[in-house]
Amino acid sequence: MTTSLARGQNTLAGVPVEADRHRAPGLLDGALNTELTPEGCDLGYWFRAVPDGTLGGDAMGRSPDVTVPDHMLRHGPLRQAVMQELAFRSMAEEKAARAISHLVACAPDLAGMDFFTTQLMDEARHAYAFRGHLLELGTPGDRLEAVMEELAGPDRDAILTPLEEFGLDVLRDGRDYIGGVVTLTVLVEGVLAPTAELSERKWLPFDPAAAQIERAAGIDEIRHLSVGTTIVRRHLRRHPEELDRIRELVASGTELWSRLPVQELTFRREQLYQQGLEQHRDLAGDYEVWPGRRLADTTAEERMLTAAAWARTTQQARLAEMGLA
Ligand code: FE
Ligand code: FE
């Protein structure tokens, strides 16, 4: 038997199910039900799973049969909405990649260092793929940075920069590895993941290329959430005396989140999308954005509240699995 088969039953031709673009679960489902370890997700795993299995050989996770539809290339709320969203997401991923470099630097063991090296690559790739879609949508390469700044600069300053400062305080200044993993897994990814899931679902009928990029990134996020959780859980089992300190960190991070204008941004984003949805209702057809709910019947507020409810569920599940509930 090959090593990959010996490692678990969930492998086929070397690509683990949870990383296979055709067979992986959705992001939220996967994040709740997949248990992965840093040793299992080592460099060998990453090379076997990601370039072929998740990405199908394309750095953006795109396949040639899916193209950018004409209606996305024309000026209008739909195009504006996807561009704002992806510019912001690209900035968030860039900040995540840079912050993770500190986790690589202070990882106490090789399994952790190797894993975060792969996560750093994943996040840098997400930033690349999201801004790559802006190019696919017709942004000239030499204007990309300026266009992104116009689309999402103020939101980055209002939301991402304070979060980054919080993270760097823990990671770079405190060299606090576990605190950094908690910040990343619970406060950043655990809260952003549900927005990503909604994004993939809501763009599918209008911009299948964007949905494909989101899907590949979402598969990576399952691994990030799951391995991050394992690292924290193990640490707290070995060091129960750390529980109070980590709880306090989560509380102060949550308090920071509650002060950031995240709901305002999401609502603005969904309102713009709503205008596009109304213009192109025919394209949505009977497509269900989540089981039993036609996208065409949803409202901006409903989508925002649903993503917020998903965020709470994911975050609570993360905390419980870490032993922090
Ligand atoms: Fe990411
Ligand atoms: Fe991630």
Side-chain angles (χ1 to χ4, degrees):
M1 282 283 115
T2 64
T3 339
S4 60
L5 284 172
R7 218 165 256 160
Q9 319 84 321
N10 60 344
T11 50
L12 182 79
V15 178
V17 170
E18 71 278 359
D20 188 319
R21 61 213 306 253
H22 304 295
R23 297 178 301 152
L27 172 49
L28 293 182
D29 189 31
L32 291 176
N33 301 308
T34 310
E35 232 190 274
L36 299 168
T37 64
E39 296 77 19
C41 297
D42 64 1
L43 291 178
Y45 174 100
W46 191 90
F47 277 100
R48 217 168 43 247
V50 179
D52 278 341
T54 305
L55 300 176
D58 182 83
M60 285 169 62
R62 298 267 286 102
S63 60
D65 56 315
V66 172
T67 51
V68 181
D70 279 347
H71 61 259
M72 292 308 299
L73 298 171
R74 282 194 294 273
H75 254 302
L78 217 46
R79 174 187 170 79
Q80 187 64 13
V82 85
M83 289 185 72
Q84 279 184 13
E85 199 170 326
L86 292 191
F88 181 81
R89 301 273 305 281
S90 185
M91 290 171 172
E93 301 285 354
E94 179 198 334
K95 288 202 185 297
R98 292 181 191 273
I100 289 167
S101 71
H102 297 286
L103 279 178
V104 174
C106 70
D109 50 40
L110 289 172
M113 188 203 74
D114 282 357
F115 176 75
F116 285 111
T117 301
T118 67
Q119 183 168 342
L120 195 162
M121 181 62 192
D122 294 333
E123 309 299 8
R125 191 194 68 75
H126 299 168
Y128 168 89
F130 291 145
R131 68 175 186 265
H133 192 55
L134 300 179
L135 297 172
E136 289 189 308
L137 286 164
T139 309
D142 60 346
R143 292 256 311 130
L144 183 60
E145 219 176 305
V147 168
M148 285 175 65
E149 194 59 36
E150 267 164 45
L151 289 165
D155 291 330
R156 175 203 54 214
D157 295 346
I159 295 172
L160 299 176
T161 304
L163 264 181
E164 179 182 41
E165 278 161 9
F166 182 88
L168 288 180
D169 197 47
V170 174
L171 267 169
R172 183 192 56 202
D173 307 337
R175 293 189 69 80
D176 173 4
Y177 177 70
I178 289 300
V181 179
V182 169
T183 303
L184 193 70
T185 310
V186 179
L187 298 168
V188 182
E189 307 223 79
V191 184
L192 292 179
T195 330
E197 171 97 19
L198 175 65
S199 188
E200 179 192 333
R201 292 176 184 221
K202 78 183 198 198
W203 286 113
L204 188 64
F206 299 116
D207 188 344
Q212 220 179 21
I213 291 167
E214 300 269 9
R215 170 74 176 141
I219 292 175
D220 292 335
E221 297 308 340
I222 296 174
R223 182 171 61 255
H224 302 164
L225 285 164
S226 186
V227 173
T229 299
T230 301
I231 291 174
V232 176
R233 184 179 56 234
R234 282 178 179 170
H235 177 84
L236 290 176
R237 275 193 194 147
R238 260 173 237 151
H239 299 279
E241 73 280 6
E242 284 260 278
L243 264 167
D244 285 344
R245 184 180 79 83
I246 298 297
R247 280 209 180 100
E248 272 165 40
L249 180 70
V250 173
S252 63
T254 311
E255 195 272 327
L256 167 65
W257 255 107
S258 70
R259 282 188 282 120
L260 301 177
V262 182
Q263 299 287 33
E264 287 88 332
L265 166 68
T266 322
F267 192 50
R268 238 192 305 126
R269 184 186 276 176
E270 291 307 322
Q271 280 176 314
L272 191 57
Y273 176 87
Q274 188 68 27
Q275 292 173 27
L277 173 64
E278 274 154 28
Q279 249 179 35
H280 297 276
R281 207 170 270 285
D282 53 313
L283 293 170
D286 286 329
Y287 170 76
E288 291 189 354
V289 64
W290 52 80
R293 190 66 179 149
R294 282 171 34 146
L295 175 62
D297 297 334
T298 59
T299 62
E301 196 162 34
E302 181 185 358
R303 289 189 301 275
M304 184 187 84
L305 292 175
T306 303
W310 289 347
R312 271 193 304 279
T313 313
T314 316
Q315 195 172 37
Q316 276 159 11
R318 288 297 97 195
L319 289 171
E321 274 182 53
M322 286 174 173
L324 283 165

